[in-house]
Amino acid sequence: MSEKVLMKGNEAIAEAAIRAGCRHFFGYPITPQTEVAAYMARRMPKVDGLYLQAESEIAAINMVLGASAAGVRAMTSSSSPGIALKSEGLSYLAGCDLPALVVNVQRGGPGLGGIQPSQSDYFQATRGAGHGDFHLLVLAPNSIQEMVDLTYLAFELADRYRVTAMLLADGILGQMMEPVSLPDPAAADLPPKDWAVTGTGGKRLHNIVNSLYLKPEDLEATNLARYEKYAVIQRREARHEAFLLDDADIVVAAYGASARIAKNAILAARAEGIRAGLLRPVTLWPFPKAAFAQAAKTARAFVTVEMSMGQMIEDVELSVRCAKPVTLCSRVGGMVPAPEQILESIRQAAGGAK
Amino acid sequence: MQTVFEKTPGLTDAVLHYCPGCTHGIIHRLVAEVYTELGVSDRTIGVAPVGCAVMAYDYFNCDVVQAAHGRAPAVATGIKRARPDTVVFTYQGDGDLAAIGTAETIHAAARGENITVIFVNNAIYGMTGGQMAPTTMPGQITQTSPYGRDPAVAGYPLRMCELLATVDGAAYLERVSADSVKNIRAAKQAIRRAFECQLAGRGFALVEVLSTCPTNWGLEPVKALDWLRENMIPYYPLGVYKDSARDGKEAAQ
Ligand SMILES: Cc1ncc(C[n+]2csc(CCOP(=O)(O)OP(=O)(O)O)c2C)c(N)n1
Ligand code: SF4
């Protein structure tokens, strides 16, 4: 099916996951991601797959861990408060070097917060997904088509590097409808899962999937090995989109739904004679540091646009090594920045309101 | 020369780390003998808990996943649903199964998850050095109930077999004890039936094994066995709490 169909973001993720060969989905209802679960519940039985509603997000992520340990592509989806409950499982997945896909359709917080879109889980996704030293591979789509493409990519990279990938979306993208094409994902040459628990079949020694290392030397060694792998991922897998960036004086940094709105503001700024451009991280971890460092050579200032109190801004500042001023344009709690607000931030960065 | 006892190939050659007189070792052997004798060790997958048995992955000579504290039934669910042809068991202590993992236990049972759960009830948190467990007896002294468990403050012990017997999805529930040769024989039979339950696709099976923790009970191994008999068995009566095969047959008669 590569002709275009009109789909909601949440449903597009679900359909893409099935096309990517995922037949095991474990979930727990929460707004605004519920359509992912509902779509899975409808479709999975038709493709010999499993939709299983767990008793909690904690159980769901541990079911994902079990299925992944058994060598199949497995996923769960949730929204912010539910992702918090998955922290333990995310850490164990990392400690066991298991691939999986976790979708977070973010909503406002903290606490029960609200059910409107937000991007306030950036820290949680890129820094604080659970205890211990580890990273999730974090992909941030900004269109329904990208929700499909990045779901394919997430499964591929997860299997290639034995890491858990997170698709970090938000309530806007989850609920939005756009035409998408769903080609079958390209066949990838992936390493065999010879570490999986499948039963020995009497043909090999027993496989052990484990994150416990009581000898500090051993535990340190696993951490170092994992970080070597992370270094490879940082070198190879950082992705970004550049929009009117080449001659930009003012670089707007935004991901996901914020980046869509920012594009309008950038065009408006250009119409006023301000050379603005967009640098949109597609991977939040690894963060496209090199692209930012490059942009910092010619840009005068950076503006990050986020539906958070300023989280990604830290990565932007780190990437440009504070060589250029970086300011924040934000709305939170389910509020969405308007193009005019972003335009005003661009004007200020460019040297004052016109 | 006739061999009268052989270590089961279901266990690896690793030396068990359990304290002298601890019944964890016996229960390991029973489980390994059962899956070996049933001829399914090459398609058996174990799930180890967080607790003294955390390193069960080094001992069971089958594929093993080490789960987070209390989550073994959820991990086992994921494995079994991904590979229905395998034989999946969890091995869990009372803190793991009846405190932090209560929800995972009850809901795995409620789903009729086709797995086998070995539940080692030693009335204490062994691994962390002897704190009060959900199964600690009223009056029992532990590190965190130094004046004896006072139900007015700390509530009452949970009887998991009785509790799970009300759950339709549970197919086989039995409580046994590892305190004597006779009871250990019976324990093995129960474990065998719990694995056969899974092989027959009948759903959730759990065997609760009353077990000792001489180290944290502060008793010598033989005294610990006496304590188990005198204190635990009266509170946790042995027996079959549910057997869908038997109950089904009875209903059909
Ligand atoms: C989330 C979490 N909380 C607490 C612990 C600490 N902890 C390790 S083992 C254990 C209790 C184990 O007791 P039990 O399940 O009864 O098994 P036993 O050691 O007695 O065999 C606890 C509380 C942990 N590892 N993880
Ligand atoms: S602490 Fe208790 S349960 Fe743990 S190995 Fe020692 S005796 Fe056994």
Side-chain angles (χ1 to χ4, degrees), chain A residues 88, chain B residues 24 50-52 69 93-96 100 122 124-128:
Chain A
E88 176 191 66
Chain B
H24 263 306
V50 173
C52 277
H69 196 21
D94 42 73
D96 198 79
I100 196 166
N122 60 10
I124 205 156
Y125 282 16
M127 190 198 206
T128 37

Side-chain angles (χ1 to χ4, degrees), chain A residues 36-53:
Chain A
V36 183
Y39 192 91
M40 287 299 195
R42 210 161 60 235
R43 281 282 291 150
M44 278 297 199
K46 311 279 184 211
V47 293
D48 277 341
L50 172 75
Y51 164 82
L52 192 64
Q53 188 157 316

Side-chain angles (χ1 to χ4, degrees), chain A residues 24 26 50 52-56 58-60 62-72 88 92 96 196-214, chain B residues 12 41-45 50 54-69 71 73-79 81-83 86 100 103-105 107-108 111 113 127:
Chain A
H24 293 83
F26 305 92
L50 172 75
L52 192 64
Q53 188 157 316
E55 60 271 25
S56 69
I58 298 175
N62 282 288
M63 291 172 186
V64 168
L65 186 148
S68 171
V72 303
E88 176 191 66
Y92 275 74
C96 297
V197 292
T198 55
T200 64
K203 294 192 188 85
R204 56 164 170 76
L205 293 177
H206 65 156
N207 278 348
I208 296 170
V209 173
N210 170 44
S211 62
L212 178 73
Y213 297 88
L214 286 175
Chain B
T12 65
S41 54
D42 58 352
R43 59 185 176 106
T44 295
I45 301 172
V50 173
V54 66
M55 284 188 289
Y57 53 76
D58 275 339
Y59 308 140
F60 289 121
N61 200 2
C62 61
D63 283 0
V64 185
V65 178
Q66 201 291 306
H69 196 21
R71 317 298 175 218
V75 172
T77 296
I79 299 170
R81 298 293 186 125
R83 301 206 174 264
T86 57
I100 196 166
E104 284 78 4
T105 305
H107 284 276
R111 287 189 302 270
E113 213 59 65
M127 190 198 206

Side-chain angles (χ1 to χ4, degrees), chain B residues 18-19 22 24 52 122 126 212-216:
Chain B
Y18 299 107
C19 307
C22 174
H24 263 306
C52 277
N122 60 10
T212 61
C213 177
T215 302
N216 290 304

